[in-house]
Amino acid sequence: MIPIQGVEGKAIGVLGLGRSGLAAVRALQAGGAEVLVWDDSLDARSRAEADGITVAELGRDKVMERLSLLVVSPGIPHLYPAPNPVIAAAYAAGVPVDNDIGLFFRSFASREWDKYETAPRVVAVTGSNGKSTTSALIHHVLETAGRDVQLAGNIGRGVLDIDPAGDGSVVVLELSSYQTELARALTPDVAVFTNLSPDHLDRHAGMGGYFAAKRRLFSEGGPDRAVIGVDEAEGRYLAGQMSEGPSDDRVIRVSVAGKLGGPGWAVFARKGYLSEYRKGRQVGSIDLREIKGLPGAHNHQNACCAYAVCRSLGLAPRVIEEGLRSYPGLPHRSQVVAEANGVVFVNDSKATNVDSALRALQAFKNVRWICGGLEKDGGLEALRGAAGSVRKAYVIGREAAAFAMQLAPEAEVCGTMAQAVARAIEDAEPGDVILLAPAAASFDQYDNFEQRGDDFVAQISRILES
């Protein structure tokens, strides 16, 4: 646990009692704060009271005027489409609003660090797609190299639940826009921006607000080094904002769209080969084509970002290559879950938006595509470019018929995962890939994308084992 500093004797409110909220409660109490909590769920409040935590209606004037700070869980809107009433009350009362990420950055460093030969480092990863894989890759490579490393944030442990830093240790954080947009402190040593595509637009009032939330990771504290994907205009803009000139190697540019030139530091992948250039000279290369845990250009981008981070932390190219080759992949992210009768089954349930589904489709040939769910803003037009790799689509979800009408390839309305998997297996031929890449949220049929992916795997097992 990371005890929160500077809160001793102060009354702090915590809104939302999920994983991050409860971790914040424990960390604030460890720092000596008087903690008052609220959650709209009666069950969550009851569990808190049973654990001896003080429950109070934080929006009431007499409660709010006692608070020095309100700590908010990431899923609770603080501005768009409308602020939660408790947060609105905090704004009106002049009470600062923060989240667990802000608490972490203001409390992670301790006096113990004065005794260390090498200061601990924090790597923070954001972007629309690839955050989880990039974060897990960095963690895996560092761990394989024998470094003391922890993985936290949106993946791994809660950010305030990790162990205090040791001499020379590294913490790798995956951070969503919900986390970066509100944190009052954001001071990573290395910050990573993978890419940008439309997502969560209602929460951020459009693409400008969404990008602004991501950009805060770079602008609030100024990382010592920035690893930035430059295949979109926003990434190129951000790299330009962070750099003092073409040869400024505090910025490492990353691309899978083409070769990067110039005198600076760049890592890019072309035709399955990763290349590192510094001062106009190639200094490292890796053949990514046969690494099973990293299929497709989107995973090659993740590998480039992870490679750049690990190089900035002092690892040699061959050490990084060993880590990449042993990377097992993450559940629900381009995960090969079965092979039978010449057909490969891939679970990419995490492909919850159009851009991530497009990247998954482009990674494979002869695809029988299971898709559909709760459609996000922006429509499915971008997926038409992947029609060449798709033999047929099998559409699930409550609005499967409307979803199917927007698709260019032949589409069959299935409704349920069980029917979609069964029909795809019936149609499949040797050399086909049955791919779950929904291009939609899961909440119309499942609690989360993990549950959806688990159902996909369960249906495959049921049919193949029958």
Side-chain angles (χ1 to χ4, degrees):
M1 180 193 299
I2 306 298
I4 306 306
Q5 300 176 26
V7 296
E8 186 172 1
K10 296 180 179 179
I12 310 291
V14 174
L15 178 62
L17 294 173
R19 184 184 73 159
S20 65
L22 290 173
V25 170
R26 293 189 292 269
L28 287 162
Q29 289 175 333
E34 176 193 0
V35 182
L36 311 175
V37 306
W38 183 257
D39 192 292
D40 289 340
S41 166
L42 176 60
D43 287 344
R45 298 198 302 269
S46 298
R47 289 193 296 270
E49 287 182 325
D51 288 340
I53 302 170
T54 302
V55 174
E57 292 189 45
L58 300 177
R60 290 181 176 271
D61 290 345
K62 289 186 178 180
V63 177
M64 187 61 68
E65 67 187 16
R66 293 183 55 203
L67 300 183
S68 298
L69 178 70
L70 177 66
V71 178
V72 178
S73 294
I76 301 173
H78 69 277
L79 187 56
Y80 302 113
N84 178 280
V86 174
I87 299 176
Y91 293 157
V95 175
V97 179
D98 205 348
N99 61 15
D100 61 329
I101 304 303
L103 295 180
F104 167 82
F105 276 111
R106 80 186 230 181
S107 301
F108 183 52
S110 69
R111 291 181 179 177
E112 287 295 310
W113 291 22
D114 294 338
K115 305 174 186 176
Y116 296 162
E117 291 185 10
T118 304
R121 311 287 293 278
V122 177
V123 177
V125 181
T126 195
S128 295
N129 299 300
K131 298 186 299 295
S132 297
T133 297
T134 298
S135 301
L137 262 177
I138 296 166
H139 176 265
H140 177 77
V141 172
L142 290 171
E143 190 172 54
T144 301
R147 300 287 290 269
D148 178 7
V149 58
Q150 299 182 77
L151 182 63
N154 262 5
I155 186 173
R157 301 164 70 178
V159 68
L160 294 174
D161 277 335
I162 67 172
D163 300 327
D167 193 343
S169 66
V170 179
V171 174
V172 183
L173 302 180
E174 180 200 339
L175 300 182
S176 72
S177 57
Y178 289 8
Q179 294 168 309
T180 58
E181 69 176 342
L182 191 59
R184 293 172 64 87
L186 284 168
T187 54
D189 298 283
V190 183
V192 182
F193 177 86
T194 58
N195 50 63
L196 195 77
S197 61
D199 206 0
H200 310 304
L201 299 188
D202 58 338
R203 172 68 178 257
H204 300 293
M207 279 294 287
Y210 179 46
F211 177 55
K214 301 287 189 186
R215 183 178 178 274
R216 290 189 77 247
L217 182 62
F218 299 81
S219 61
E220 291 301 302
D224 295 335
R225 181 152 278 127
V227 175
I228 301 175
V230 294
D231 289 340
E232 294 89 29
E234 291 87 354
R236 293 189 289 273
Y237 164 82
L238 182 58
Q241 288 282 298
M242 298 299 295
S243 174
E244 294 295 332
S247 61
D248 186 354
D249 67 1
R250 294 175 303 170
V251 176
I252 307 177
R253 290 170 170 83
V254 167
S255 176
V256 290
K259 180 178 178 178
L260 296 176
W265 196 348
V267 179
F268 58 88
R270 295 178 66 200
K271 299 180 180 180
Y273 287 90
L274 179 153
S275 298
E276 177 191 5
Y277 274 72
R278 297 189 74 172
K279 299 179 180 179
R281 296 177 57 250
Q282 185 172 359
V283 295
S285 65
I286 298 174
D287 184 352
L288 301 173
R289 294 173 299 172
E290 301 304 319
I291 301 180
K292 285 191 173 183
L294 298 169
H298 64 304
N299 276 310
H300 294 173
Q301 182 183 58
N302 300 333
C304 287
C305 289
Y307 177 97
V309 169
C310 293
R311 288 288 283 142
S312 74
L313 295 176
L315 269 61
R318 293 300 160 226
V319 173
I320 300 172
E321 182 175 359
E322 290 176 10
L324 294 180
R325 292 197 179 281
S326 63
Y327 176 66
L330 283 175
H332 313 294
R333 297 164 178 87
S334 296
Q335 178 192 19
V336 175
V337 295
E339 296 185 38
N341 304 317
V343 177
V344 176
F345 298 81
V346 179
N347 171 18
D348 203 341
S349 184
K350 184 63 167 64
T352 58
N353 60 44
V354 167
D355 188 68
S356 55
L358 177 61
R359 290 166 182 250
L361 290 170
Q362 291 171 335
F364 303 99
K365 297 179 180 179
N366 302 321
V367 175
R368 296 195 178 275
W369 176 30
I370 298 176
C371 58
L374 190 62
E375 188 178 338
K376 295 186 176 181
D377 293 342
L380 307 177
E381 184 64 30
L383 290 170
R384 294 181 182 273
S389 65
V390 178
R391 302 192 67 180
K392 185 176 178 181
Y394 306 81
V395 188
I396 64 174
R398 294 179 186 173
E399 300 178 354
F403 198 99
M405 289 179 64
Q406 301 181 62
L407 301 178
E410 179 186 354
E412 179 177 339
V413 175
C414 296
T416 66
M417 184 70 74
Q419 185 177 352
V421 171
R423 291 292 299 123
I425 290 177
E426 287 176 15
D427 292 343
E429 301 173 356
D432 285 354
V433 173
I434 296 178
L435 169 68
L436 172 63
S442 59
F443 306 124
D444 60 332
Q445 292 181 307
Y446 302 96
D447 291 339
N448 48 55
F449 73 84
E450 293 96 340
Q451 190 182 85
R452 177 171 58 190
D454 289 341
D455 190 20
F456 174 67
V457 175
Q459 298 303 329
I460 294 167
S461 299
R462 179 181 61 82
I463 294 173
L464 295 183
E465 294 174 3
S466 62

